């Protein structure tokens, strides 16, 4: 086993042929609270990076997706190309994406991961933003114009409130998706909680570390989704009144 670079488990015995007996392997539980408490500082560092990359990617995605959606609604022939381009970007494998971005972002770093994640959010955000804007009734917009609403006021007081449910749905999906995608950043050393998952595999399949990283990602996605759902409920009180 040493020749393969695999360390024998502590406390394990070998049979006459040198094989480790499964019944005598050292304990390697899937859940181990002592691992979490003993490595809490490291876990928090990875969690902070995971949250930073997720929030940064989604916010940048919104800043790019909203103008694209507005342009696609105003110039209808551009809707197909805009949606198609964002879909094509999403199909690019992460390794290839990082390779394409490296000449522009410099050596593989957190910035490379952030830009890649931002591009991946566009396929969800642009589509939902455009669907929300197209769902605003034309007669409502015409009535607002007849009341003297300018373009900016029309967007903020008519388009945005009516399109907000679709906007928030896209934001929730993009956020949960990004939480999962952050883990691909491990190839650059910036994978957030994904570092724990890979670290567990590299440490003789250390289950507690792997599960901590995986469960952390799931919990983070759930918390983010609940918070966004609460924000949507707060920003759209009229939907509760209708219900």
């Amino acid at each position: 086993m040493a020749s393969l670079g695999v360390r024998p488990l502590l406390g394990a015995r070998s049979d006459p042929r040198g094989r480790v007996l499964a019944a005598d392997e050292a304990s390697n539980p899937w859940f181990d609270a002592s691992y979490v408490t003993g490595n809490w500082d490291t876990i928090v560092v990875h969690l902070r990076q995971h949250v930073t990359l997720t929030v940064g990617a989604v916010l940048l995605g919104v800043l790019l997706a909203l103008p694209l959606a507005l342009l696609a609604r105003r110039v209808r022939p551009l809707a197909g190309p805009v949606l198609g381009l964002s879909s094509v970007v999403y199909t690019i494998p992460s390794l290839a994406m990082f390779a394409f971005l490296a000449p522009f972002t410099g050596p593989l770093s957190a910035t490379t991961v952030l830009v890649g994640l931002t591009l991946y959010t566009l396929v969800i955000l642009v589509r939902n933003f455009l669907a929300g804007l197209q769902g605003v009734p034309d007669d409502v917009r015409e009535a607002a114009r007849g009341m003297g609403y300018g373009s900016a006021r029309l967007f903020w007081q008519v388009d945005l409130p009516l399109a907000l449910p679709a906007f928030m749905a896209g934001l929730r999906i993009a956020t949960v998706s990004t939480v999962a995608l952050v883990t691909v950043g491990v190839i650059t050393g910036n994978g957030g909680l994904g570092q724990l998952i890979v670290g567990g595999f590299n440490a003789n399949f250390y289950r507690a570390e792997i599960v901590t990283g995986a469960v952390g990602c799931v919990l983070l996605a759930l918390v983010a989704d609940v918070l966004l759902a609460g924000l949507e409920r707060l920003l759209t009180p009229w939907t509760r009144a209708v219900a």
Side-chain angles (χ1 to χ4, degrees), residues 3-18:
S3 62
L4 296 177
V6 179
R7 295 174 296 161
L9 294 171
L10 296 178
R13 294 189 296 108
S14 300
D15 67 1
R17 297 183 180 180

Side-chain angles (χ1 to χ4, degrees), residues 27-117:
S27 176
N28 186 20
W30 285 106
F31 300 97
D32 187 354
S34 63
Y35 169 79
V36 177
T37 56
N39 297 273
W40 182 248
D41 291 342
T42 300
I43 294 172
V44 169
V45 170
H46 291 315
L47 175 62
R48 185 181 299 116
Q49 183 185 54
H50 208 116
V51 172
T52 300
L53 287 172
T54 300
V55 173
V58 173
L59 289 180
L60 289 175
V62 169
L63 293 178
L64 291 174
L66 186 55
L68 289 174
L70 289 170
L71 178 63
R73 185 187 65 169
R74 179 178 293 273
V75 185
R76 294 187 183 275
L78 291 179
V82 168
L83 293 175
L85 180 60
S86 62
S87 298
V88 169
V89 170
Y90 193 79
T91 64
I92 300 175
S94 57
L95 287 175
M97 176 69 79
F98 293 154
F100 292 152
L101 294 175
F104 304 98
T105 61
L108 296 178
S109 62
T111 301
T112 307
V113 177
L114 177 61
V115 174
L117 293 173

Side-chain angles (χ1 to χ4, degrees), residues 58 62 65-67 69-70 73 124-136 155-156 158-175 228 231-232 235-236:
V58 173
V62 169
L66 186 55
L70 289 170
R73 185 187 65 169
I124 300 171
L125 294 176
V126 172
R127 191 174 298 275
N128 279 73
F129 286 5
L130 181 58
L133 292 172
Q134 291 177 335
V136 178
F155 172 74
W156 287 108
V158 178
D159 291 344
L160 185 59
L162 293 178
L164 196 57
F167 280 20
M168 292 303 298
L171 192 61
R172 290 172 65 182
I173 296 172
T175 301
L228 289 174
L231 179 61
E232 178 182 2
L235 295 177
T236 58

Side-chain angles (χ1 to χ4, degrees), residues 2 8 44 56 59-60 83 88 114 121-123 130 135 138 149 159 166 187 190 198 206 212 224:
V44 169
L59 289 180
L60 289 175
L83 293 175
V88 169
L114 177 61
T121 65
L122 295 182
V123 66
L130 181 58
D138 291 334
Y149 280 48
D159 291 344
I187 62 178
N190 298 278
V198 173
Y206 187 17
T212 299

